[in-house]
Amino acid sequence: MELLFLGTGAGTPSRQRNVTSIALNLQGVRSGSWLFDCGEGTQHQILRSAVKPGKLEKIFITHLHGDHIFGLPGLLTSRSMNGISEGITLYGPPGIKTFVEMSLSLSGSWLTFPLEIVEIGAGEIFSDEHFRVTAFPLTHPVECYGFRIEEHDRPGTLDAERLLADGIKPGRLFQQLKLGKTVTMEDGRVVDGSRYLGPAIKGRTLAIFGDTAPTAAASALAAEADVVVHEATLEAAMEEKANGRGHSSTVQAATMAKDARAKKLIITHLSSRYLREDAERLLAECRAIFPATDMAHDFALFPL
């Protein structure tokens, strides 16, 4: 699993940063990828990356400000025009369904693949055998959410040597044993796979914040997460201005990660006033409080 930042700017694109979009590559767990926000120009960024539109399973929208959704109609229609038939589920606040359907209708566009649109509120919005996704309400001028992605614990490593020692040879049922299931072997023996597994492998937890001023929901959203992605729109000296517009400063993002006992913080959503040469100064403000901080730039890739 890895995070690829397709856009890391706030509000408007700049020469160095496109507006917000993040791809979560799930390969190693499943074959597809998920997208978080889809600002204007996201499909252009995808063309310059390893993300495959046909492998997109889900799109999660934090809120309906333009720098987070104006790329959606173009991405969806291009995906359709390229003959992709695999469906997508789109999650977002109330109004996302109207936005997408109206954009397609007024532009005379249509889709050749199934699109399920789920308008979300706070709480669990998705769960399967691999992941659980929970939405947390944030503090912003419009309804906005952050997403906590929790990978379920995975079965421990199968002790193949011990199986062989017990006279159980590799075969078609080994995959079931690796999952800890009880199977009946071809010779009639009933084997409990869980007896041959090592300790369970703890699943990873990722917290992706939408735009927000400091908020009470942060402690639960980011609690002990392996990776937290949080906006740092403005520097510490401009904290009052940031908060007044529903945003956070560098210091506030770092303080949140420290208080939540997160393992790693990645800051993004930086104002277009900041150039590449400002990066180290902004990053230093965070690292003075939470040393395990990195800054995302467009096309930055972070393994999880």
Side-chain angles (χ1 to χ4, degrees):
M1 289 168 57
E2 57 191 12
L3 278 176
L4 173 64
F5 286 79
L6 296 168
T8 57
T12 62
S14 68
R15 290 179 180 270
Q16 297 174 343
R17 295 181 184 273
N18 197 49
V19 286
T20 299
S21 185
I22 307 169
L24 174 61
N25 181 358
L26 301 172
Q27 291 186 10
V29 179
R30 55 210 286 164
S31 62
S33 58
W34 295 352
L35 196 67
F36 292 84
D37 285 332
C38 189
E40 179 185 357
T42 292
Q43 66 171 319
H44 294 272
Q45 300 291 86
I46 286 175
L47 291 173
R48 299 169 60 194
S49 77
V51 176
K52 299 184 183 303
K55 292 291 187 179
L56 283 176
E57 295 179 357
K58 299 181 181 296
I59 301 175
F60 297 86
I61 300 297
T62 61
H63 64 294
L64 302 186
H65 276 159
D67 57 327
H68 294 256
I69 65 168
F70 283 169
L72 259 179
L75 174 62
L76 294 174
T77 53
S78 292
R79 194 176 185 272
S80 184
M81 292 176 71
N82 286 330
I84 296 169
S85 59
E86 289 79 5
I88 282 183
T89 304
L90 172 64
Y91 302 84
I96 189 65
K97 184 178 178 69
T98 298
F99 171 75
V100 171
E101 291 180 347
M102 189 68 72
S103 297
L104 296 177
S105 175
L106 290 177
S107 63
S109 304
W110 64 91
L111 303 180
T112 58
F113 56 85
L115 174 65
E116 180 184 5
I117 302 178
V118 180
E119 295 195 329
I120 64 172
E124 182 181 296
I125 60 173
F126 172 75
S127 182
D128 68 2
E129 69 273 21
H130 297 300
F131 299 99
R132 175 176 183 256
V133 181
T134 308
F136 289 79
L138 302 178
T139 302
H140 200 55
V142 299
E143 189 170 351
C144 185
Y145 293 93
F147 300 106
R148 183 177 174 93
I149 303 98
E150 296 171 292
E151 181 186 24
H152 300 313
D153 292 349
R154 291 163 286 161
T157 304
L158 185 68
D159 190 340
E161 290 186 6
R162 190 165 150 234
L163 282 168
L164 290 172
D166 289 347
I168 303 168
K169 298 180 180 180
R172 61 184 181 85
L173 296 176
F174 254 47
Q175 188 59 42
Q176 299 299 309
L177 294 174
K178 287 180 180 179
L179 297 175
K181 297 183 178 180
T182 298
V183 302
T184 301
M185 308 301 291
E186 293 179 357
D187 60 6
R189 282 182 295 169
V190 177
V191 179
D192 180 359
S194 65
R195 294 181 54 241
Y196 294 89
L197 293 179
I201 301 170
K202 182 171 175 54
R204 292 155 287 188
T205 297
L206 170 64
I208 298 180
F209 281 71
D211 292 4
T212 188
T215 180
S219 58
L221 172 52
E224 299 183 355
D226 294 287
V227 177
V228 173
V229 178
H230 197 287
E231 66 136 289
T233 304
L234 293 170
E235 61 195 283
M238 302 183 71
E239 194 166 275
E240 184 176 350
K241 182 176 182 178
N243 295 169
R245 298 180 178 181
H247 293 293
S248 298
S249 71
T250 49
V251 167
Q252 288 172 328
T255 301
M256 181 283 304
K258 179 181 179 181
D259 291 345
R261 301 182 302 281
K263 296 182 178 65
K264 182 181 182 65
L265 169 66
I266 303 173
I267 57 170
T268 185
H269 198 268
L270 292 125
S271 168
S272 58
R273 73 179 60 231
Y274 300 118
L275 303 176
R276 194 76 179 219
E277 52 264 34
D278 298 309
E280 287 304 316
R281 176 172 60 85
L282 299 176
L283 189 55
E285 290 189 347
C286 291
R287 287 179 172 172
I289 295 167
F290 189 74
T293 302
D294 281 324
M295 176 183 288
H297 299 281
D298 286 18
F299 304 109
L301 188 66
F302 295 91
L304 300 180

